[in-house]
Amino acid sequence: MSILNSLDAISRNTLYTLKRFPFVFMALYLLIIFLWNTVGIKYSDKALYPYFDTAERVAFSATVAIVLFLVFRLISKNIMLTILGVVISVGYFFILPSPFSPNHLNHSSLWLMVALVIMVFPAPFLFHQRDNQQFWAWVQQVLFIAILAGLFSFLLFLGFMGVEYGLKKLFDMEFAHTVEKQLSMILFLGFGLSYFLSHLPKYPTIVPLRTYTMVESYFVKYLLLGLTVVYGVMLYLYSLKMLFMAQFPSGYLASMILLFSALGIVTMLFAIPFKGEKKESYQKWLWLAILFQLPLLFWSIFLRVEQYGLTEKRYMLLAFAFYLLAITIYFLWSKKAHFKWIFIGLSLTILFTQFGGDYSARELSKRSQVAHLRALLGVEENLTNESNVTLRYKLSDAIGYIHREYGIESLMPLIPEIVSNYQLRESNSSVNCVIEDKRYFPQYATKALGFDYVAYWEWKQANTKGWGEAIDIAVRESTGLLHVKEYDWIDTLDYYNYREDMLCPPNNLKGQEESLALQLIKSREKIVIMHYSEELAEVSFHEFLEGVKKLYRERVANSTAKRETLLSKKELEYHFENDKLKVKVAFSTLHYTLKGKLEMYHGTIFIKEK
């Protein structure tokens, strides 16, 4: 009988949760269905690529919709908010780029999710007046439920994976390669989110405040508060050091002050259940400590902006600095300050930085970087490889940054002829794709300006005596390598100046580059080859490069020949193969630091589809 009663209680709770959050579950259902289908689409199913792209855009829009509908439902039951949520979710689907890849989401999409998640905490209190203790009781409950939902989902996932492993080993049963991903979707999205929603308090504004245990009290009073004090003392000592030694602030100082401020605010939130004058005094001193650090924070940010222009990262730091200034003044000035405004203010700040039109992070930083590059171009009229290396590096870096972050069209007002010629060259090369014609635009642009592209390692090497040991292999033969019968795709490959490589397509697929282009995600000693969100291969060449370095040093010690001839082209070739791809990486240049750390590589990558 008790089992039936338990099932009845679960059924009632499930129906109530579905009734309470109907649009959240509709978005969740869409998310699971479309993600399930995208996982099932294999790389070889080229006819399904258009549906794959649409499915991923629907899935991400549904993810935004889940949090958006949750926030609106916690604010009010008003039907107008639900309609607004539908309009925003559908509109967001249409503004997502196509082809779409979750691996390369723009910053605005990620910041939107952060802003919406933050709004979950103050949403029930927007139009209800409750004290800080009542607010913190709700926040505690939400955090506790979220942690439990994640933990239970993870434990269930481990359990099911153990069952799958046992069936494979004991009964020789085979499972599709998509099982793990599909199972994680069901558990983490289906079960995890359902558990979270079903355990949210029915009346968020009257959740009873849980009393801290002795361990929790000691954690807040001595660990959190002590850590905040130590961090603050460290920052103030650094400020005195700058004052007495007449130094400029470190580039990391802005991030450290923001971390100190965040730690101080978290400490004050956890201290809400405590009562007494001591708590009020501690809070006042913490806000004053944050306030006195803000001038240094603004100075650190503006110093970098003046030197290098405004970037999206510096814009965000500046926005958070103004946000901190506003809430610090509010809490010091108001005797009835409410902690919900910390969350509301942070969420609104993030939304403005991403969707503020001409004043958004992207637009303002783009204008600043274009102005910065214009100033650099005016320093010297006739640029050559003999021009100042720092100027050449700054120009290379500025062109690369604008091209990478804002697209080639952003450079049209500055170097229109170079951009037009490059676009014409690219359109011609799509018919006869050759490595030389697919040259990375910043390298093409600097060459057109009169000098070779200068990477960071080259600038650093020129300005630091004995900076590193370079291994240069002279293997630059013909660049017209596309027609190598063994391989389908080819591109130059370099690591240090990040770019997303779009490879030349196979001969029989000309004109379909938009839907079939592969993407390379590079790290120091590994390349991941992606198609949309599907990982085709992870090519790790750490051991190979260690062997090359060892072989090179042995030959340097035992030979008087020129260093660039010590290793042959064949010895610099790395081969990789799996069930989807066959890959060859032909390295031409490797640069190591004096300590033997790989700083840069350059070469060519060849890929064949199976």
Side-chain angles (χ1 to χ4, degrees), residues 469-590:
E469 173 188 359
I471 300 177
D472 297 304
I473 314 301
V475 293
R476 296 181 183 276
E477 300 178 358
S478 171
T479 56
L481 298 172
L482 177 66
H483 303 293
V484 175
K485 293 179 182 179
E486 227 180 313
Y487 298 94
D488 297 322
W489 303 74
I490 186 171
D491 194 21
T492 53
L493 180 70
D494 63 84
Y495 174 73
Y496 206 100
N497 296 282
Y498 174 82
R499 67 184 176 103
E500 181 179 302
D501 292 278
M502 305 305 290
L503 309 185
C504 292
N507 290 327
N508 62 329
L509 297 173
K510 290 294 192 298
Q512 301 182 48
E513 293 91 335
E514 280 297 314
S515 60
L516 297 177
L518 300 181
Q519 296 142 1
L520 303 183
I521 301 173
K522 296 171 290 182
S523 58
R524 192 177 301 276
E525 295 173 333
K526 181 176 71 174
I527 301 168
V528 179
I529 303 174
M530 305 286 297
H531 182 271
Y532 292 98
S533 62
E534 183 178 7
E535 181 181 309
L536 304 182
E538 182 177 297
V539 184
S540 177
F541 35 80
H542 171 75
E543 290 185 10
F544 170 76
L545 292 180
E546 286 297 307
V548 167
K549 182 173 63 176
K550 182 179 179 181
L551 179 62
Y552 174 78
R553 284 176 170 169
E554 287 175 357
R555 292 188 181 174
V556 167
N558 300 314
S559 174
T560 58
K562 290 184 178 181
R563 293 195 173 196
E564 62 267 23
T565 64
L566 290 177
L567 297 180
S568 68
K569 178 181 175 181
K570 266 299 189 202
E571 289 171 319
L572 266 292
E573 286 184 3
Y574 177 75
H575 297 266
F576 171 88
E577 192 169 347
N578 65 10
D579 60 339
K580 296 179 181 178
L581 299 175
K582 179 181 178 182
V583 179
K584 178 175 80 172
V585 180
F587 291 100
S588 60
T589 306
L590 302 172

Side-chain angles (χ1 to χ4, degrees), residues 38 48 142-143 269 343 352 402 417 450 529 533 552 609-610:
T38 57
L48 297 176
V142 171
L143 291 174
L269 285 169
F343 295 88
F352 177 78
I402 294 173
E417 188 176 344
I529 303 174
S533 62
Y552 174 78
E609 299 176 68
K610 291 188 176 179

Side-chain angles (χ1 to χ4, degrees), residues 1-15:
M1 196 69 178
S2 59
I3 296 176
L4 293 177
N5 289 336
S6 298
L7 290 174
D8 182 61
I10 292 171
S11 300
R12 287 175 181 275
N13 190 33
T14 302
L15 289 173

Side-chain angles (χ1 to χ4, degrees), residues 263-325:
L263 184 60
I265 292 170
V266 168
T267 301
M268 285 185 274
L269 285 169
F270 273 91
I272 287 175
F274 299 120
K275 296 181 180 180
E277 292 183 4
K278 271 192 174 182
K279 187 190 81 170
E280 301 297 328
S281 176
Y282 283 139
Q283 285 187 354
K284 183 178 179 181
W285 280 109
L286 277 174
W287 285 118
L288 285 172
I290 293 172
L291 181 65
F292 292 147
Q293 282 293 322
L294 291 182
L296 200 57
L297 174 60
F298 281 108
W299 182 28
S300 175
I301 297 171
F302 279 117
L303 188 64
R304 265 66 195 177
V305 170
E306 185 180 359
Q307 289 177 324
Y308 310 110
L310 188 68
T311 61
E312 288 191 50
K313 180 182 176 181
R314 294 184 192 116
Y315 179 100
M316 295 303 295
L317 289 174
L318 198 57
F320 290 142
F322 279 111
Y323 157 76
L324 274 177
L325 178 62

Side-chain angles (χ1 to χ4, degrees), residues 285-432:
W285 280 109
L286 277 174
W287 285 118
L288 285 172
I290 293 172
L291 181 65
F292 292 147
Q293 282 293 322
L294 291 182
L296 200 57
L297 174 60
F298 281 108
W299 182 28
S300 175
I301 297 171
F302 279 117
L303 188 64
R304 265 66 195 177
V305 170
E306 185 180 359
Q307 289 177 324
Y308 310 110
L310 188 68
T311 61
E312 288 191 50
K313 180 182 176 181
R314 294 184 192 116
Y315 179 100
M316 295 303 295
L317 289 174
L318 198 57
F320 290 142
F322 279 111
Y323 157 76
L324 274 177
L325 178 62
I327 64 165
T328 301
I329 292 173
Y330 165 68
F331 274 89
L332 286 173
W333 175 72
S334 176
K335 293 182 179 179
K336 296 183 179 180
H338 202 291
F339 278 95
K340 69 180 180 182
W341 293 109
I342 291 176
F343 295 88
I344 296 171
L346 182 57
S347 182
L348 292 177
T349 298
I350 292 172
L351 289 174
F352 177 78
T353 62
Q354 304 305 313
F355 305 99
D358 290 340
Y359 299 98
S360 66
R362 184 170 181 80
E363 290 302 316
L364 272 182
S365 61
K366 181 168 72 173
R367 292 202 295 271
S368 174
Q369 288 301 312
V370 168
H372 177 63
L373 177 57
R374 182 179 285 111
L376 289 173
L377 287 169
V379 172
E380 187 174 327
E381 188 172 345
N382 297 314
L383 292 161
T384 68
N385 282 328
E386 302 304 316
S387 299
N388 181 273
V389 67
T390 298
L391 174 62
R392 287 184 285 130
Y393 164 66
K394 285 183 176 180
L395 282 165
S396 302
D397 184 61
I399 292 171
Y401 181 84
I402 294 173
H403 175 256
R404 182 174 68 249
E405 297 294 330
Y406 311 113
I408 194 171
E409 295 299 330
S410 301
L411 291 158
M412 183 65 84
L414 298 176
I415 44 176
E417 188 176 344
I418 295 173
V419 172
S420 299
N421 290 340
Y422 180 80
Q423 289 176 327
L424 179 62
R425 187 186 183 105
E426 284 290 286
S427 63
N428 291 335
S429 72
S430 65
V431 179
N432 184 25

Side-chain angles (χ1 to χ4, degrees), residues 28 38 88 135 138 143 175 215 229-230 281 360 390 412 416 479 538 604:
L28 176 60
T38 57
I88 293 173
F135 172 71
W138 158 255
L143 291 174
F175 296 89
V215 174
V229 170
V230 169
S281 176
S360 66
T390 298
M412 183 65 84
T479 56
E538 182 177 297
T604 306

Side-chain angles (χ1 to χ4, degrees), residues 34 37-38 41 45-58 532:
F34 280 91
N37 284 314
T38 57
I41 295 176
D45 301 330
K46 293 183 170 61
L48 297 176
Y49 284 165
Y51 306 101
F52 184 92
D53 179 64
T54 302
E56 288 203 322
R57 289 165 64 208
V58 170
Y532 292 98

